[in-house]
Amino acid sequence: MVVTPEKVNAVAGSKILLPCSYTCTISGVTHTLVEWFRMMDGREEERIYKFPNGDEWPLHATWMGDVSKCDASITVSDIKTNDSGRYRCEVTVYPQKKHDIGYLQLNVNSPSEFAVVTPDKMDAMAGTTFLLPCSYTCTISGVTHTLVEWLRIIDGREERIYQFSEGESSHWPLHATSVGNVSKCDASINVSDIQTHDSGRYRCEVSVYPQNKQDIGYLQLIVHPRTDLAVVTTDAKDTTVGSTALLPCSYTCNITGIRHTLVEWFRTIDGHDEKVYKTTHRKSLRPLQVTWVGNDSTCDASITISNIQTHDAGRYRCEVTIYRHDKPTMEDIGYLQLNVPNEPEPRDATPTPTPTPAPAPVAGIVLGVIAALLVVAVVVGFYCWKKRQSQAREPEVPPQEMQPMNPIG
């Protein structure tokens, strides 16, 4: 059984995904043939794509499917308004020669019309919080109410996972949170702790009132297991001049068969990358005072930068490459924005008052008086010292001897 959506909307000039999947329970399949056709203005159908030949016809179509996962989707680039029409996806499997068809109505709107836009395909890592982006045309005036609904299609069934209406939100099987803003025509959501079984096809439906206009955007989400390498860093780091900043970076620890792990840190300045650290060197590669504080055994690739200055601010990235025995090399990157204000923050909230210097004339008078007093003190001291010295050198007068008295006198 072949499954396609009933309707897909696109904006002229964009690249649109035409999704098509089929039943995967047939065993012994050795060959799969996929053909896409379109019918325009009631004319005969024309083939626009064929797999596995990969031929291209009037539309610039690209294969996005995977027959091992029973996916027969294609993308069409630079879609035009006259590409609107009815499309069909035909799948045939051999040697069973089983065959089925799915039909799809494509509506291509001009950019000035109401249209919902989502990316064709996105990849996520299990266990992370992931953004499902969705935006829509903002040129419609007089909108008083906007309704946003997110649905996912799993095993051929649709289930609503989120609804936003008049500021109220509801949560269904997935833990979804609105991060959009209807005033900016943004209907995006975040999905927390996403898992591999959440892989599937999602759609974002937006309706505006009282115009009663509606459009849908489709997105194919692929959630990879945590056995793949994933590097995690903080989005931003704030520090002060003269301090030591920790740049945290960690990566997946459940990878087997590791032969060697390489960690490199870069900084982007004026559009150019500058390597600031490499684990094989174990030292800083530029004037930055970089120190390795990571640990391979705990999958920690963090570094510190000492004596931070304002010119050290910028966008840093942590690259981790894992080389394995007889297995493909794995690599991932984490980005971090380092912010350094121009001046260090004051350590004490109460600043110490600075004494105000005396005016120059007053200061001169004070110094003059002090100098005069010192001169007077020196003169008086010198006079007293001389007097004491002269008294010490003056000989004592011996007492006069007693003369005998003249008896006559």
Side-chain angles (χ1 to χ4, degrees), residues 184-200:
K184 297 180 180 179
C185 300
D186 187 355
S188 305
I189 61 172
N190 265 342
V191 180
S192 303
D193 193 26
I194 202 157
Q195 300 299 324
T196 53
H197 59 257
D198 294 323
S199 296

Side-chain angles (χ1 to χ4, degrees), residues 39-45:
M39 178 184 292
M40 300 176 61
D41 301 327
R43 293 183 283 111
E44 292 184 0
E45 292 183 338

Side-chain angles (χ1 to χ4, degrees), residues 18 33-40 43-61 74 76 86-92 94 99:
L18 301 182
L33 173 65
V34 176
E35 293 178 290
W36 276 89
F37 297 83
R38 71 171 176 179
M39 178 184 292
M40 300 176 61
R43 293 183 283 111
E44 292 184 0
E45 292 183 338
E46 56 183 353
R47 187 166 59 182
I48 62 171
Y49 198 84
K50 182 180 179 181
F51 175 87
N53 295 0
D55 300 326
E56 295 185 8
W57 280 270
L59 287 180
H60 183 69
I74 62 171
V76 180
R86 188 168 175 80
Y87 290 71
R88 83 168 192 259
C89 172
E90 292 191 6
V91 181
T92 307
Y94 299 91
H99 173 83

Side-chain angles (χ1 to χ4, degrees), residues 82-120:
N82 56 15
D83 292 325
S84 298
R86 188 168 175 80
Y87 290 71
R88 83 168 192 259
C89 172
E90 292 191 6
V91 181
T92 307
V93 294
Y94 299 91
Q96 295 84 351
K97 291 187 178 180
K98 289 186 176 291
H99 173 83
D100 195 27
I101 300 174
Y103 291 93
L104 178 154
Q105 178 66 38
L106 176 63
N107 300 320
V108 183
N109 303 306
S110 67
S112 61
E113 296 178 358
F114 183 70
V116 171
V117 179
T118 57
D120 298 334

Side-chain angles (χ1 to χ4, degrees), residues 15 17 33 45 49-50 63 92 96 157 206-207 237 294 296 316 359 368 380 394 396:
K15 182 172 72 172
L17 173 71
L33 173 65
E45 292 183 338
Y49 198 84
K50 182 180 179 181
W63 176 254
T92 307
Q96 295 84 351
R157 295 179 295 103
V206 181
S207 303
K237 178 81 174 183
D296 294 339
Y316 289 73
V380 173
E394 189 174 318
E396 293 183 1

Side-chain angles (χ1 to χ4, degrees), residues 129-363:
T129 297
F130 195 72
L131 172 71
L132 298 181
C134 176
S135 60
Y136 53 96
T137 309
C138 262
T139 55
I140 298 177
S141 59
V143 174
T144 60
H145 175 63
T146 302
L147 173 64
V148 176
E149 292 181 289
W150 276 89
L151 299 96
R152 69 173 176 179
I153 305 169
I154 297 180
D155 298 328
R157 295 179 295 103
E158 283 191 351
E159 57 183 355
R160 187 167 54 181
I161 61 171
Y162 198 84
Q163 178 178 327
F164 174 87
S165 175
E166 296 181 345
E168 298 179 359
S169 59
S170 303
H171 300 266
W172 280 272
L174 287 181
H175 183 69
T177 306
S178 175
V179 293
N181 187 340
V182 293
S183 66
K184 297 180 180 179
C185 300
D186 187 355
S188 305
I189 61 172
N190 265 342
V191 180
S192 303
D193 193 26
I194 202 157
Q195 300 299 324
T196 53
H197 59 257
D198 294 323
S199 296
R201 192 152 165 270
Y202 290 71
R203 84 169 191 254
C204 172
E205 293 189 6
V206 181
S207 303
V208 293
Y209 301 94
Q211 295 83 355
N212 200 27
K213 289 183 176 291
Q214 183 193 48
D215 197 26
I216 300 174
Y218 290 92
L219 181 154
Q220 182 68 35
L221 178 63
I222 299 175
V223 184
H224 301 277
R226 291 291 296 182
T227 53
D228 294 341
L229 175 63
V231 172
V232 179
T233 58
T234 56
D235 294 333
K237 178 81 174 183
D238 297 321
T239 187
T240 55
V241 173
S243 64
T244 297
L246 171 68
L247 273 58
C249 176
S250 60
Y251 54 96
T252 312
C253 252
N254 57 352
I255 300 172
T256 59
I258 297 177
R259 175 171 57 87
H260 173 63
T261 301
L262 172 65
V263 176
E264 295 175 290
W265 277 89
F266 296 84
R267 182 174 74 157
T268 304
I269 300 178
D270 299 328
H272 300 286
D273 282 339
E274 178 182 47
K275 187 181 294 184
V276 299
Y277 196 85
K278 188 175 182 180
T279 51
T280 54
H281 295 171
R282 294 291 180 182
K283 63 180 181 180
S284 177
L285 299 179
R286 62 179 296 276
L288 278 179
Q289 300 178 26
V290 178
T291 304
W292 171 259
V293 293
N295 189 335
D296 294 339
S297 63
T298 59
C299 301
D300 187 356
S302 305
I303 60 173
T304 60
I305 302 178
S306 305
N307 192 24
I308 284 286
Q309 302 299 318
T310 53
H311 58 258
D312 296 326
R315 186 166 174 80
Y316 289 73
R317 80 171 187 263
C318 173
E319 290 192 5
V320 179
T321 306
I322 292 181
Y323 301 90
R324 298 184 294 174
H325 298 281
D326 303 325
K327 293 182 180 179
T329 300
M330 306 175 71
E331 181 181 5
D332 196 27
I333 299 173
Y335 292 93
L336 182 151
Q337 178 67 36
L338 182 63
N339 302 318
V340 184
N342 292 329
E343 296 181 359
E345 296 179 357
R347 297 182 179 179
D348 190 355
T350 305
T352 304
T354 304
T356 305
V362 177

